[in-house]
């Protein structure tokens, strides 16, 4: 039965169940019968709500008051409908829409996906389930406001670095070739997210494809340009279902709820002959 969730027939049945439910709760008001009564289920719900709030059962007098208040609400609501007070009330319309959508989504959430369905979903959205990318690198900053020809400055600095022996490429010597900034010269095992926060997403993206262990010029950040030497890069692999099952299931269920809502509204548009083709240029 689990594998039926993606079938159009199942979505049709879900829509039918929702429409039947909505008809059932509105049938009395549409039948022209003015009689309003309270069911045992309504009384039980009133008692439950009272107990949850007061931490005790209602007395006979309190229960009688709850029932009378419930009936007052029902008759007042019915009279309001007859008087047309709900027409154009966007707050009530939105509230009813939310309740209808909740019923549809609740029906779709009642299914437990199989491993095959979750695996297929994971494979279809691989980039959403990659392990966190982590980098180690060194950077030298160059302020564009301090140099008339910044690109030439970068090229000359890169030549100086390459002319230094490995023992001479200390942080002190290298920082002396660059401009001051509050950011660190060296970062170890820093996540993509933090790199993007500190330097900007363009800088972080450049680390994804940068060659290792060599100084690269003209790496852009939100502050200016940098020379960067990437010393380590790891992560970014698609994780297994066992590692990300909870998130995959959550995302899968969200997708199924959205599919059910889309199908539900599509069916209602057909039922009520809604013309959704609007010419915005008219008028």
């Amino acid at each position: 039965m689990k594998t039926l969730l993606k079938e159009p027939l199942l979505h049709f049945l879900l829509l039918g169940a929702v429409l039947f439910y909505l008809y059932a709760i509105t049938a009395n008001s549409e039948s022209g019968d003015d009689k309003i009564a309270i069911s045992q289920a309504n009384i039980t719900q009133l008692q439950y709500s009272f107990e949850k709030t007061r931490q005790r059962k209602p007395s006979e007098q309190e229960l009688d008051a709850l029932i009378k208040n419930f009936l007052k609400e029902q008759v007042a609501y019915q009279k309001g409908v007859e008087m047309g007070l709900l027409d154009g009330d966007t707050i009530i319309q939105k509230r009813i829409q939310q309740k209808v959508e909740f019923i549809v989504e609740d029906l779709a959430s009642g299914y437990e996906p199989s491993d095959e369905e979750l695996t297929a979903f994971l494979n279809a959205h691989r980039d959403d389930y990659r392990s966190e990318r982590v980098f180690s690198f060194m950077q030298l900053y160059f302020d564009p406001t301090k140099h008339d020809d910044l690109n030439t400055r970068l090229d000359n600095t890169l030549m100086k670095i390459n002319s230094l022996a490995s023992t001479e490429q200390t942080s002190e010597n290298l920082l002396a070739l660059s401009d001051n900034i509050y950011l660190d010269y060296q970062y170890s095992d820093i996540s993509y997210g933090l790199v993007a926060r500190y330097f900007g997403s363009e800088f972080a993206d450049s680390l994804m494809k940068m060659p290792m262990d060599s100084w690269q010029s003209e790496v852009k950040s939100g502050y200016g340009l940098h020379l960067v030497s990437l010393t380590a890069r790891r992560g970014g692999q698609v994780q297994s279902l066992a590692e990300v099952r909870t998130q995959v299931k959550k995302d899968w269920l969200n997708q199924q709820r959205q599919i059910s809502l889309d199908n539900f509204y599509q069916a209602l548009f057909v039922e009520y002959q809604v013309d959704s083709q609007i010419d915005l240029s008219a008028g």
Side-chain angles (χ1 to χ4, degrees), residues 7 25 55 89 105 111 128 235-236:
E7 295 297 326
I25 63 177
Q55 300 299 311
D89 192 321
E105 292 177 344
Y111 292 89
D128 295 335

Side-chain angles (χ1 to χ4, degrees), residues 41-68:
N42 295 140
I43 295 175
T44 300
Q45 181 61 43
L46 291 173
Q47 290 175 313
Y48 173 79
S49 298
F50 184 95
E51 292 177 17
K52 188 174 181 181
T53 304
R54 304 289 187 87
Q55 300 299 311
R56 63 176 177 83
K57 292 183 178 182
S59 65
E60 290 186 9
Q61 293 81 4
E62 289 170 329
L63 182 58
D64 183 65
L66 290 172
I67 292 173
K68 287 182 178 178

Side-chain angles (χ1 to χ4, degrees), residues 132-137 187-196 198-199 207 234:
E132 187 173 43
R133 295 172 173 87
V134 176
F135 309 96
S136 296
F137 63 92
Y187 290 86
S188 298
D189 294 332
I190 181 173
S191 69
Y192 175 95
L194 285 179
V195 174
Y198 296 157
F199 294 89
L207 299 180
R234 59 183 174 84

Side-chain angles (χ1 to χ4, degrees), residues 129-170:
Y129 304 104
R130 295 185 181 276
S131 61
E132 187 173 43
R133 295 172 173 87
V134 176
F135 309 96
S136 296
F137 63 92
M138 298 172 288
Q139 65 85 25
L140 299 175
Y141 169 67
F142 296 86
D143 188 342
T145 65
K146 295 182 178 180
H147 307 281
D148 295 331
D149 189 346
L150 185 55
N151 290 332
T152 299
R153 173 63 189 273
L154 286 169
D155 291 341
N156 291 337
T157 303
L158 186 58
M159 291 177 59
K160 290 180 181 179
I161 293 175
N162 291 332
S163 68
L164 294 174
S166 58
T167 55
E168 297 176 310
Q169 293 187 16
T170 63

Side-chain angles (χ1 to χ4, degrees), residues 66-85:
L66 290 172
I67 292 173
K68 287 182 178 178
N69 186 62
F70 174 86
L71 293 172
K72 288 178 181 179
E73 290 178 354
Q74 296 302 305
V75 296
Y77 176 82
Q78 184 63 35
K79 179 55 67 176
V81 172
E82 294 172 2
M83 295 172 63
L85 298 181

